[in-house]
Structure formats: C-alpha cells, structure tokens
Amino acid sequence: MSASPNASGVDPALIAGWVAARSCARGVAAPVADHGGWRVDTRSDVEWCRYIFARADREISTLARTIGRPQVFIKVCATDADMLALLPNDWALQARCWVMTATVDPTHRPLAAGYRLRVDETDGVIAATILASDGTLAASGYAAETAGVFAYDRIVTSPDHQRRGLGHAVMGALRGQRRDAASREILVATDQGRALYTSLGWTVQSAYASALSPAVYA
C-alpha cells in the first residue's frame, strides 16, 4: 500500500525555518534543498547526512533508492506507517518523535532555590545552563532563530535534578532571548519530552518519523 503524499505533515515554511535554526544551534552545515525536502550534511561519526521532509511524499521513495551508503537518515513529518510505506524493506525505523509548537505564553515559575541560571549567545546560538549549588550541571538547552522561526534544541535535565521545574526554567530563559516576538516557536520532542511540553502548553503538530539506511549494501 502506498502512502498518501499529503495525508499528514507540517507547514513547509515552518519546517524549513526549523531545519535552518537547528543546523545553526548544532553548528552543522546549513540545509540545502533536495528532492522536495532539505539535506543537512552532518558528516559525523554516526551520521553522514540527513534528509528532512515536511510531509510524506512519493519523492522520498525515489530518494531512498538512490542512496548507496550507510549512516544516512530520512526524517519525515508523518507517522511511522506512512514512512515505512515509502521506503525499501531494508531501512531501519528509528525512535518516533513529535513536532510541537508553542500556542500559549508559558506560566512564569521562579527558579528553584539553590540553582544558578546563565544565558549566553555565540554566533546566533543561545545557550541556557543551570548549575546546582555544588557547581554541577543540572539542566541545559539551546535555541536559534531564523526566518521567523525560533527553534529549541537539546533541552536536558540531569536525572538527579528532575521534577524541580528546571526544564521549564531553561525554556523560559531561551524564550526571553527571541529577537522577534512573532517568531513561531518549534521543537521536536521524544515521547518523554512530549509529556513535559504538553504540560507547558505546547501542541503536537505531527508525528516525526525517522529511518536509517542499511548498514551494509550489496
């Protein structure tokens, strides 16, 4: 069964802005248009490149059959089922994530006692870090803004410091650095992260499916 190319997805302009901002936040190559989506040449030890699509499209099938090396990811704003319907059988589905956007202003919460918050910006990348009283890193996150999109990335709270509102504090600190109040806020969350961001008033726009090219080609 083939996937309907327009059955799901997210506004392409929003995804284009997110891909550009995420690339900035992670210090990787800027995205380039490719096969109706965007390609990011990451060239890391575990990822040669990734392709990102705003919706399931038959062009993804064409692309997948041209890829002849391992460590290539295809990521689509679609369900796992729609993704698998477009790929050869030897591609490996990865953990599902979720594209989420902010739809309400967050509730302000004071930083928990005993923690220190710091915000820095370097070359357009905003970094928020929270240190515990002993100087250890308790929580951190990054963001970047481009083309009317403000993207949050790598929001992490150490297991020893969870359930103290530190993730909320990191998000608020990053949000406070937006240059344009009209910039659309976006992030991609894991299943666990989805629960946190939903509690903060974020809304799921789409599932975000990911697949990896075969480790060995014939």
Side-chain angles (χ1 to χ4, degrees), residues 2-180:
S2 63
S4 173
N6 297 310
S8 60
V10 178
D11 174 12
L14 178 60
I15 295 302
W18 171 70
V19 174
R22 180 190 180 281
S23 294
C24 175
R26 298 215 173 189
V28 298
V32 296
D34 197 317
H35 282 80
W38 302 272
R39 188 188 77 247
V40 179
D41 295 321
T42 43
R43 302 297 192 268
S44 72
D45 292 340
V46 297
E47 179 180 290
W48 178 253
C49 73
R50 62 173 55 195
Y51 294 85
I52 303 99
F53 293 84
R55 58 175 54 90
D57 191 287
R58 294 186 183 92
E59 190 66 25
I60 295 170
S61 292
T62 302
L63 167 65
R65 287 170 172 78
T66 69
I67 294 171
R69 62 160 295 134
Q71 298 182 317
V72 175
F73 287 84
I74 293 179
K75 298 173 178 283
V76 187
C77 298
T79 65
D80 288 353
D82 281 348
M83 163 73 97
L84 287 176
L86 293 167
L87 296 176
N89 292 333
D90 50 0
W91 281 67
L93 196 66
Q94 306 296 290
R96 174 188 59 186
C97 290
W98 305 91
V99 178
M100 303 185 72
T101 56
T103 53
V104 297
D105 290 338
T107 301
H108 174 71
R109 297 180 188 174
L111 184 64
Y115 292 94
R116 291 178 289 123
L117 170 67
R118 175 174 175 173
V119 179
D120 300 287
E121 182 173 352
T122 304
D123 296 330
V125 181
I126 306 161
T129 55
I130 295 178
L131 299 180
S133 57
D134 61 0
T136 59
L137 181 64
S140 62
Y142 300 84
E145 186 174 12
T146 182
V149 174
F150 190 85
Y152 297 82
D153 188 49
R154 291 171 290 162
I155 311 299
V156 177
T157 301
S158 169
D160 293 339
H161 300 277
Q162 291 178 354
R163 301 187 182 281
R164 300 176 191 177
L166 301 186
H168 189 141
V170 166
M171 297 285 289
L174 294 171
R175 188 176 193 266
Q177 301 302 306
R178 284 191 305 165
R179 298 186 300 272
D180 183 355

